[in-house]
Amino acid sequence: MKKKRLAIYTGTGCKACEHAILDLHYQVNPLTRGADLCFWPYLLGSTWNELEKAERCDVAIYAGAIRTAADAEAAARLRDKADLLVALGACAAFGGLPGLINLVPPADRSESDQTPDAEGPALPEAREKVAAVPSLVPVDYIVPGCPPPQNFLWALLQCLLGRPGLLSRISFAAHRLPEALAQAATAGIPPRRGAVFAGERAVCASCSRIKQEKRFTTAKRPQFLELDEGLCLLEQGLVCAGVATREGCGGLCTGVGAPCRGCYGKAENIIDPGAKLVSAISSTFDAEKPDEVAKIVGDMVDLSGTFYRYTLASQCLLAAAPPVAAESDSPAAPEALAAGEEA
Amino acid sequence: MSQFEPRIIAFLCNWCSYVAADAAGVSRLTQKTNTRTIRVACSGMVDPSYVLKAFAKGADGVIVAGCHPGDCHYISGNIKAMRRYPLLKKLVTELGVEDGRFRLEWIAASEPSKYARVINEMTEDVRRLGPYRRPEGT
Amino acid sequence: MTTTLEPLRWLEEPAKVLVEKNNGAVRAYFQVTVPRDLTAMCRGRAVEELPRILSILSPSHHLLAALVLDHLGGVTPPDLARNLREALLHCQVFRHHLRKLYFLLSAYGNPLAEPPGPRGRQDLSPVPRPVLDEAMEHLGLIQEAATILGGRSDHPLTSVAGGVSRFLKEGHYARLAEIASASLAYARRLGEFFHNRVLAGGRIFSELSAVPSVQLASLTYDPAADLIGVVDASGQAQETFSPEEAVEKLAWHQETWTYQPFLYLKARGWQDLSASDHAGCFFVGPLARLNRNREIATEQAEAERQRLIEALGQPPHYGLAAAVWMMLVELLEAGESLVALCTEENLSGPEIRHVPQAMGEVAQAALEAPEGLIFHRVQVDGQARVLNLTVFEAASANNALRCLLTQAVMAEALTQSRPFNSAQRSLELGLLPT
């Protein structure tokens, strides 16, 4: 059976997503048994020229956010060349941590005071706003997480490379995926396009902490708290984004005493994760009067950077670029995308 | 000459502020015509996402008006609205929504003149602020 | 005439090389193609979020950010927390170096070729497939240990202000000890492979030795003395300074042709990269640690370091072979340290955190990460929000080295009339330890 052709690329981001794919490889080469790695710059030095000249890819994986014109152009090229495009990781799927720069006016972003002399070769232009990949080109699948856990990477590759493998590898993921998606992963067939490799409910559904419906009169900061190991973090006064975030990770962060920060993006039925968190958190305020509420809120800091930690660029109603419609005409030409315009 | 006409979304609760608005109309109190009203059962059912969505879809101002605390038809629905407001206001302020665009008011059924006054004030406040623009590039 | 070389394999930052050839002279630019938004991104954030946000730079930045929070809160973590954090750091050293060595080996054997079956062709490459597979297996194992200690793969979570966020579970002690001892044994095996097939001479050694090198001063951090030390290019120890003085001693320089700024020693000034002298420039990483010429605390690693000195001579060294050898030394050191640390006695205790009462206004700390010296300085407002953040990481510290190395490799390739893809390969290998 002919192996599927797989491309892997990172735009602007760290290399954790690609390392996560590399880490899969240690289990006796199943990655190479299943795929023909036709384009992998990080490991193999593949060039764009090689990609252009080669036959079509079956699957392209794009990790990292769109920060520069080069990132945008890469997204357009991979969309053009591959039958299926996957946004891997919170950066590609939602904008990720790089998206936080959208809160900063461009004039305030530079680190050094020195104005350099304009000399030397040009650099790819930095866009004014970081964007998620789906805002530029239609994406077939989204695998959230920072980085996505191994089980979900296995589920993704199993679906898309068409080689059903051991159930044990994906049982953790299958247990938390919607049924149709889990069945597709187990059988080794691509699921419905647009699927997100995560659950539909909120993280609370998988979090092992106990909910008791406590209320509190002051906002807390985690560094000053002796955390109870078993109780819900929201109910200990912390901001935990789990209530607005898709499940799938199994409550990785809350399991080790760190509040969820939403790297899986908003849960299925939520319109805006920040709005959901306003609702959830304010309902824990033990306050009847406006000044009491104002005091609690006054002690809370950086709402926009916490409620939208990974999703500012794509899921914040007041700041996000909407996704490109999947049924639209062919995506904008690479030059237009590079200039920061949208399809 | 075209003066900027703000578009203000007003979430009005069925039992108090909507009645006040209706009475203000019936009494022919002078009101600016910039509001689009949305009648809800209670100010407490105005989810924060409705407010965000209103701004995202082109509203220049949003007002949520409910019964005075203690008078809520559902006992404590307006208290829920009261509890949400400061946090929501802080969030939208951080995201660039200027002071004056988003208000929470208590307006009883018997206060049509208050309704008219609040609407007129808010319209002028928002007119002064200008159109609400989402950050460029989004 | 200009040529662009991209992508560069194995490099974490997106970068490319532009080579301008004019009348037999070559000017090569190492261009990082993505802006460094760090400070702007962190301004306004709650300071306790920094260990999680900055972990995107490298897992060691997570540990360093927690250290800064300790200082800011005026607390020292309990012994258990210190041991857990230290064990996580050793895991990161092991993982970082093994990954680099894996990349090096992949230059001589195809990691993605079909594994040779019973009827497969005999594997005649200098690095047989099983060697690559074993490296990958141990990368996976050490990542498992890092995940146990750090809570999550690659972007750890567990280091917090005053300690760590949770106790280990019952089954973790045995598993960590198991991984530690397997890792140490593997470090020895890998070392032997390198001695027999890479460092003993032959094709691979010739190629590594032929990659040009650049002589610069180097910086390292000594946690015992809490001092940053400067060793000049000739190997002489020059000065030491505390983390408090770091922002006075080091400064940034920005060029238009790369988004990555350069770090340099302020007192010596910035010299243009095309000049012949680079007294202000320095580098960090394994070679910097070799060149400070200090005895290593663990036995097998120190023995290996002595073997290096015997074969190559006293430090300073700048060649790729020395850098690779030093990574093998540090792989042993990390393995030995893990074996010593990963016992139930060391990794259990009554307390995981000392809770601070208040946050101060400013704090800084340094750490010797596997990639080199790293430093954070944070200033916060009355609500413990970040007002200002200064981060020195290996990418900006080594930027000058990378640029000079690029120039040296391309210039030499021109004199030897080597094709660009061969020059690019030399550069990729030369950049591995930086």
Side-chain angles (χ1 to χ4, degrees):
Chain A
M1 181 178 153
K2 195 169 170 234
K3 289 196 272 191
K4 296 273 169 99
R5 291 166 56 76
L6 176 63
I8 301 174
Y9 181 82
T10 301
T12 288
C14 66
K15 285 294 193 294
C17 286
E18 292 206 33
H19 289 158
I21 297 176
L22 210 52
D23 283 348
L24 294 183
H25 189 51
Y26 88 86
Q27 295 182 30
V28 200
N29 317 309
L31 186 63
T32 47
R33 281 219 187 95
D36 169 18
L37 271 308
C38 63
F39 180 78
W40 196 351
Y42 181 52
L43 186 65
L44 305 175
S46 327
T47 64
W48 289 113
N49 257 343
E50 286 165 11
L51 184 72
E52 289 303 307
K53 296 198 182 114
E55 44 175 294
R56 285 187 70 70
C57 277
D58 297 285
V59 181
I61 293 179
Y62 195 112
I66 312 283
R67 179 78 178 88
T68 66
D71 300 332
E73 197 182 319
R77 283 175 139 164
L78 285 171
R79 175 71 276 184
D80 199 47
K81 197 73 185 181
D83 291 336
L84 296 175
L85 180 63
V86 180
L88 183 76
C91 289
F94 315 121
L97 282 174
L100 288 176
I101 200 70
N102 291 358
L103 288 170
V104 182
D108 298 341
R109 291 177 188 174
S110 166
E111 296 222 355
S112 58
D113 297 326
Q114 173 194 0
T115 341
D117 304 327
E119 188 212 300
L123 286 166
E125 203 179 306
R127 295 160 55 99
E128 200 179 302
K129 295 274 169 179
V130 167
V133 177
S135 305
L136 260 63
V137 294
V139 157
D140 297 297
Y141 301 107
I142 286 179
V143 185
C146 184
Q150 277 203 7
N151 274 269
F152 289 85
L153 286 171
W154 275 125
L156 173 79
L157 293 175
Q158 203 154 289
C159 284
L160 302 188
L161 300 180
R163 294 191 165 212
L166 294 172
L167 190 62
S168 61
R169 274 202 201 110
I170 63 164
S171 60
F172 177 95
H175 180 59
R176 285 163 180 80
L177 289 170
E179 196 179 326
L181 193 41
Q183 285 178 355
T186 318
I189 54 172
R192 172 190 61 85
R193 292 211 183 186
V196 178
F197 277 71
E200 287 169 339
R201 302 170 302 172
V203 174
C204 304
S206 328
C207 174
S208 53
R209 290 179 175 260
I210 299 167
K211 290 92 177 149
Q212 281 185 336
E213 304 257 0
K214 275 189 64 190
R215 306 277 216 80
F216 51 92
T217 53
T218 50
K220 309 273 198 288
R221 299 284 284 274
Q223 59 268 36
F224 302 127
L225 267 189
E226 288 267 13
L227 277 186
D228 184 303
E229 289 218 359
L231 290 180
C232 168
L233 294 173
L234 206 58
E235 292 171 12
Q236 293 185 56
L238 300 180
V239 174
C240 178
V243 71
T245 306
R246 270 190 205 268
E247 63 165 342
C249 60
L252 262 180
C253 297
T254 57
V256 294
C260 169
R261 284 291 175 256
C263 72
Y264 262 55
K266 66 182 170 77
E268 187 67 39
N269 295 323
I270 288 176
I271 301 171
D272 177 293
K276 177 69 181 173
L277 284 166
V278 165
S279 205
I281 291 171
S282 57
S283 70
T284 62
F285 292 167
D286 186 5
E288 297 295 315
K289 301 209 190 65
D291 55 330
E292 290 170 0
V293 180
K295 163 109 189 19
I296 300 177
V297 171
D299 288 338
M300 297 179 70
V301 299
D302 188 30
L303 303 181
S304 46
T306 311
F307 294 177
Y308 300 108
R309 177 68 52 84
Y310 293 89
T311 56
L312 186 76
S314 64
Q315 294 183 340
C316 170
L317 277 177
L318 297 188
V324 168
E327 278 82 34
S328 70
D329 308 319
S330 54
E335 309 82 60
L337 287 174
E341 298 157 29
E342 280 154 25
Chain B
M1 106 96 224
S2 69
Q3 198 190 27
F4 160 58
E5 289 300 334
R7 275 183 295 196
I8 297 176
I9 303 293
F11 292 96
L12 305 179
C13 88
N14 181 59
W15 305 96
C16 282
S17 49
Y18 189 82
V19 176
D22 192 44
V26 164
S27 318
R28 301 171 82 79
L29 299 180
T30 316
Q31 290 177 69
K32 307 280 169 151
T33 54
N34 300 71
T35 51
R36 282 92 165 124
T37 58
I38 298 177
R39 181 169 61 118
V40 296
C42 175
S43 53
M45 72 155 274
V46 178
D47 189 284
S49 59
Y50 304 167
V51 174
L52 294 185
K53 198 165 177 184
F55 280 117
K57 294 288 185 183
D60 302 300
V62 174
I63 179 167
V64 176
C67 308
H68 287 267
D71 297 343
C72 176
H73 185 83
Y74 306 100
I75 318 296
S76 57
N78 54 358
I79 304 299
K80 294 193 173 69
M82 185 271 293
R83 249 189 245 127
R84 275 182 212 136
Y85 176 71
L87 193 55
L88 182 55
K89 176 115 193 334
K90 189 168 183 169
L91 178 64
V92 300
T93 306
E94 282 188 21
L95 291 170
V97 175
E98 305 96 315
D99 241 12
R101 292 197 188 273
F102 175 44
R103 283 170 76 151
L104 175 71
E105 290 288 345
W106 307 132
I107 303 176
S110 56
E111 292 182 308
S113 48
K114 180 174 180 186
Y115 176 80
R117 179 177 50 80
V118 167
I119 289 302
N120 293 340
E121 257 174 34
M122 186 165 177
T123 303
E124 289 319 306
D125 286 344
V126 177
R127 198 194 304 277
R128 259 192 304 278
L129 287 169
Y132 168 66
R133 286 193 207 293
R134 281 186 7 149
E136 275 177 34
T138 61
Chain C
M1 185 190 121
T2 60
T3 313
T4 305
L5 303 176
E6 72 174 325
L8 295 168
R9 280 182 294 182
W10 317 318
L11 206 55
E12 296 240 353
E13 294 77 30
K16 61 182 176 175
V17 170
L18 190 113
V19 186
E20 287 171 351
K21 239 161 54 165
N22 281 318
N23 303 323
V26 140
R27 176 81 169 98
Y29 297 88
F30 176 83
Q31 301 182 279
V32 172
T33 53
V34 149
R36 185 179 180 277
D37 292 325
L38 215 48
T39 309
M41 210 173 87
C42 290
R43 228 175 259 133
R45 308 277 84 78
V47 74
E48 67 269 19
E49 299 292 316
L50 288 182
R52 295 174 74 172
I53 296 176
L54 294 175
S55 69
I56 57 171
L57 291 173
S58 87
S60 305
H61 281 272
H62 166 79
L63 289 165
L64 179 57
L67 213 50
V68 172
L69 288 179
D70 295 342
H71 294 331
L72 199 62
V75 287
T76 357
D79 286 341
L80 169 58
R82 276 213 304 276
N83 288 347
L84 286 169
R85 287 189 192 172
E86 199 188 315
L88 182 56
L89 181 60
H90 290 305
C91 286
Q92 298 306 338
V93 172
F94 199 95
R95 182 159 185 256
H96 174 271
H97 286 2
L98 182 52
R99 191 169 57 231
K100 298 283 182 161
L101 293 169
Y102 174 84
F103 288 152
L104 174 68
L105 294 175
S106 77
Y108 299 100
N110 185 354
L112 300 179
E114 276 291 351
R119 292 202 199 113
R121 278 193 346 210
Q122 203 189 353
D123 191 344
L124 295 167
S125 59
V127 177
R129 186 53 185 279
V131 174
L132 288 168
D133 290 349
E134 205 186 4
M136 190 46 79
E137 186 191 325
H138 282 272
L139 262 174
L141 269 180
I142 199 67
Q143 177 66 309
E144 187 189 331
T147 306
I148 292 173
L149 290 161
R152 189 170 59 167
S153 90
D154 244 323
H155 297 150
L157 302 162
T158 50
S159 302
V160 293
V164 299
S165 63
R166 59 91 174 89
F167 293 94
L168 291 182
K169 294 201 181 106
E170 197 53 51
H172 287 155
Y173 305 118
R175 183 60 180 154
L176 283 172
E178 202 176 13
I179 295 178
S181 106
S183 302
L184 177 57
Y186 175 67
R188 279 205 300 273
R189 278 203 303 282
L190 186 66
E192 283 317 301
F193 174 83
F194 265 85
H195 278 291
N196 298 335
R197 305 285 273 275
V198 176
L199 301 170
R203 182 187 138 203
I204 300 181
F205 185 73
S206 309
E207 182 169 15
L208 297 186
S209 308
V211 175
S213 62
V214 173
Q215 301 199 2
L216 291 177
S218 57
L219 256 64
T220 56
Y221 175 67
D222 178 2
D226 190 31
L227 286 173
I228 297 170
V230 183
V231 169
D232 73 16
S234 65
Q236 299 289 349
Q238 280 301 306
E239 59 169 313
T240 57
F241 54 87
S242 66
E244 280 78 22
E245 301 170 86
V247 283
E248 297 307 310
K249 296 284 184 174
L250 298 171
W252 298 104
H253 174 83
Q254 183 76 51
E255 295 281 352
T256 53
W257 41 265
T258 177
Y259 279 117
Q260 183 78 258
F262 297 82
L263 264 181
Y264 67 99
L265 288 156
K266 215 193 263 185
R268 303 178 186 192
W270 171 260
Q271 299 83 32
D272 191 75
L273 290 169
S274 53
S276 52
D277 169 47
H278 300 101
C281 299
F282 63 90
F283 72 97
V284 299
L287 264 184
R289 294 190 286 266
L290 173 63
N291 292 350
R292 76 177 161 185
N293 205 3
R294 265 202 350 213
E295 194 177 311
I296 292 180
T298 62
E299 197 185 311
Q300 294 177 46
E302 177 59 17
E304 187 64 34
R305 192 182 74 97
Q306 290 301 332
R307 216 169 150 185
L308 186 167
I309 293 176
E310 218 177 283
L312 301 178
Q314 284 288 339
H317 292 295
Y318 298 97
L320 181 53
V324 169
W325 203 328
M326 189 58 183
M327 286 200 275
L328 290 167
V329 169
E330 293 185 333
L331 206 65
L332 279 168
E333 185 188 3
E336 288 180 284
S337 307
L338 276 172
V339 166
L341 258 178
C342 291
T343 65
E344 186 161 349
E345 198 193 324
N346 284 331
L347 297 186
S348 58
E351 281 182 298
I352 44 170
R353 264 187 86 203
H354 288 144
V355 179
Q357 298 304 309
M359 290 274 136
E361 286 178 6
V362 67
Q364 60 268 304
L367 186 117
E368 190 65 39
E371 64 265 24
L373 161 71
I374 57 178
F375 168 87
H376 294 174
R377 180 175 187 273
V378 73
Q379 248 179 302
V380 298
D381 66 11
Q383 290 200 290
R385 273 180 304 207
V386 176
L387 277 174
N388 206 7
L389 174 70
T390 309
V391 173
F392 299 154
E393 19 64 53
S396 43
N398 285 339
N399 204 7
L401 172 64
R402 290 171 168 182
C403 294
L404 293 169
L405 190 63
T406 304
Q407 176 68 29
V409 168
M410 296 301 146
E412 191 198 61
L414 176 71
T415 18
Q416 296 176 350
S417 301
R418 278 165 59 209
F420 273 122
N421 59 356
S422 163
Q424 184 174 347
R425 181 189 162 96
S426 298
L427 180 60
E428 287 165 341
L429 289 170
L431 288 172
L432 271 174
T434 67

